[in-house]
Structures are given as structure tokens and as C-alpha cells.
Amino acid sequence: MKVAPHIDRFGDIRRMLVNYFGDVLLKEDSLFADEYFKALTKKFGKTVVVGSEEELDEFTDNFIYSYRFPDERTVFDRFVVETSGLREEEKAIIVKWNDPVVGIFQIKKTLPDGLVAENLINEVEYKIKPTAIPPQLEQMAVPGAFFGAKIIPAGGEEYIFSGTQAFLKGTEKEILQRAASIQREHPEFAFRDNEERIRRGFEMQHKDRALFIDYFGADEMLTEGRDLNGLWSGFLEFKLSLYDGLVPAGYRPPKLVFPKNLVKKRDVGIVFEEATGLHYLINYGLVLDVFRDPDESKIRRFEEEIMIYLEEDSIPPGILQRIFSRFPQNAEFVIRMILDRPDFNLERDFDSLMDEYKPSLKGRRIYPQMLPMSDRMVKALRPEMNQQREPETRVGRNAPCPCGSGKKYKKCCGK
């Protein structure tokens, strides 16, 4: 394996970035330097005892990606502006480094100047061209090998490594379980660059919402926390009954474990919103009551609860929009009083209100809550779903229905 000539240039740029970090940011920007050394001592202790140079490099690489200057610019934003000798097309690529692809990869094939690897977290293949060929990469970069890494674009469909790479030991099942854990913690990683997976996820979510409405009679309900387990056990049994013959005999869905503080609450709303999915909302009944029948004393009494709905990022704008659109005039009255905004207009000011009180959600893409899993991942994580099934006898669409109705199958149970 060798470094491609056009990729070698990005190796030079990475070295320029390292010099910019050490010679400009650490020496000339006291705020940046303070934040870096504060994070360094928090990670490695006041005496900064680092296990290896690679560990320090990876820490620094992650810090560069996460840091934001007071004007919200990133290290890469400043680097392209303050560094001479960069071509315009290179600057356009470098600013994309703000958002690296984090993954656990499996090598599919090697190339003369790189490799093709599938990211197990989002199930997308990437063409990776190293800017350097260390001995470990040369020795271990074989089809089937697993490694953890961050990659960043190098133009077209090619990527380069950022930070350190680590080849992984363990069984395929153990590595898939590790990838699944990252999927649960960072769903945005699981959907990245995979529009088909996003489409299928929303399709699954919409079907599940329809079943929720069919079972509970609406897309929202009020309950007590202590009843959540019973409600969901009933709902999951209902879902399984619809897939009779497709679920292995004896299979039982995993038991849901709800947070203790949620289970203890007497006022819990369950809302299955179309875009953002399922939400458990504390004091949902109370908030609905304030907006349904507001008066000044009630609003002042429950102001804190209402502000939580405004300020808490875990409650998406769609939930507030649902409440406000149900009681539009009352919503304007409540917001005008709580925020002291006598001119608040729901139609005109709702979006700006959300930008103000939920800034971290501004511009953030909404992903489905439901994650389609490959057969390979299902076999690793849910082996009980892959028990040998009895062969099924298929009924032709124009054959008599086996239920005995006398109708054709397509006009009866097959409908």
C-alpha cells in the first residue's frame, strides 16, 4: 500500500494544522490555551500523566473538533482564514472537517493506495486513503479486519484518517454489540450518510404510531408512572399478535425499564408525535390544563412547570406546537404573561420563540427514533429472533380462504 500523490497533499495540510494549533492557538490565544489545558488536566489529572503519545494525540484531535470560539467559529474555520498557501478547493474541503465520521469499520477490500471499509454504525461503505502508512496499518489492513477511527473528507468520495486508529480484537458478535451501543448513545451516527436507512426508520416509526393509535385510541394519553410497565406490556403483546407466524415460538419482547423518577410521577403524558416519535412527558396533564383554562393565578402558580416545557431540549418544538395549536388564543395569553411579551403572536413568533429557548435544536435534523437493523446485527444482538422456524404453507391469493368463509383468500384474510 502506498500514499496517493493527491492524498499526500492532505498529509501536508494536516501537518500545517498541527503547527497552527501549537504555534498560533496555544501561544497567541490565551482563552483557547486555558480551555485546552483545563480539559487536559480534567482528563489526565493535574500532573498530566498520559499513557502514550497516541492517547494525547487522540485527546487533542477530539478537543479540536469540539471547541468553539466565542464567535462560534471552529478551529477549522479559523485555520482556513488565517493560513496562507491553501487553494480555494482545499478550503472548501477543510471546513467540512468540522463534522468527522466516527465509526467502527470492517475492511471489505484493500486498494493499492487505501481500503474500502464499512462503518458498522451507519452501514455505509467508505473509500479511505491514508496520508501515511504505519507498519500496523500495512500488516493488519486485510479484508475482514475491524478498526475504530474517525475519517474526514478529502474530496469526491475519498476520506482520510483523523487522529489515531485502533484495530479491534474480539469476536464479531462482541464488536457488533459495541457498534450497537454507540448507535443507542448517538443515533445521529447511526443515520449519517444513509438516506435509505432514514427513510426505512421513518416508515417503521409511522407504522408503530398507527399501531399505537389503534391500540390506545389516540396518539397521546395521560397516565401515572406506576402504570407504564403494564401499558407497554399490553401494547407489545398486541404488536406481536399481529405478526403471528413471523415471530419464533416462545419469543418474548425485552422488558422495558423506565427511569425511577418517571415511574414515581402521578402525571405522565405519553405522546407519539409524527416527526419526533415517542415522548414521556412529566406534568403533561397539568400543562394541558393551564392552556385549556388559563387564569392569572393558575399561570403564576405553575409558571415553573411551563418554563420547563419551553427550555428543556428533550421536549421538542412539536410538543409545544401541539399544545399551542390546540388552544391558540390561550397560548398567546399564557406566553404574554409568563415572558412579559404583550405583543406575542403565535403565528408570527413561534419559530423565533423556539430558536430563543431551544437554540441547540435550531437547524438540527430530525432522525427517526426507530433504527432498522441489518440481518447481521439482529443475529448478533437478538439470536432468539433467528431460531429455526417451521416451514410455512403459503396460500394462493385466488385459493379458498383457509378460515372456511367460502371466499377467496385475497377477498378475506389475505385482504
Side-chain angles (χ1 to χ4, degrees), residues 99-104 118-126 176 178-201 365-374 377:
D99 188 21
V101 177
V102 179
I104 295 177
E118 179 190 0
N119 185 354
L120 302 179
I121 297 172
N122 63 355
E123 298 181 356
V124 174
E125 289 189 0
Y126 294 91
L176 289 173
R178 184 172 169 182
S181 177
I182 296 174
Q183 289 176 340
R184 287 191 292 270
E185 293 176 17
H186 301 280
E188 68 277 11
F189 293 171
F191 289 106
R192 172 158 187 171
D193 299 333
N194 195 332
E195 294 297 323
E196 173 60 19
R197 191 179 224 187
I198 294 171
R199 184 195 66 77
R200 289 190 292 121
R365 183 170 184 179
I366 297 173
Y367 293 109
Q369 281 187 343
M370 305 192 74
L371 178 65
M373 296 174 65
S374 65
M377 190 70 85

Side-chain angles (χ1 to χ4, degrees), residues 128-183:
I128 305 172
K129 301 292 185 74
T131 57
I133 312 296
Q136 185 191 36
L137 183 64
E138 190 76 67
Q139 295 167 8
M140 303 190 71
V142 295
F146 297 96
F147 64 90
K150 292 195 301 293
I151 59 174
I152 51 180
E157 296 181 354
E158 296 178 329
Y159 288 76
I160 61 175
F161 288 117
S162 177
T164 59
Q165 306 84 51
F167 281 88
L168 306 177
K169 297 180 180 179
T171 65
E172 178 176 304
K173 180 178 179 179
E174 290 171 341
I175 292 171
L176 289 173
Q177 288 173 335
R178 184 172 169 182
S181 177
I182 296 174
Q183 289 176 340

Side-chain angles (χ1 to χ4, degrees), residues 287-296 298-299 306 320 323-338 341 344-346:
V287 172
L288 282 178
D289 182 64
V290 172
F291 282 88
R292 182 186 298 111
D293 183 26
D295 62 62
E296 185 171 355
K298 184 187 293 185
I299 294 170
I306 296 170
L320 287 167
I323 299 170
F324 287 9
S325 62
R326 194 174 298 174
F327 314 106
Q329 292 183 334
N330 294 349
E332 289 183 342
F333 176 68
V334 172
I335 296 301
R336 287 170 184 171
M337 179 172 292
I338 287 181
R341 299 184 183 182
F344 177 79
N345 178 274
L346 182 59

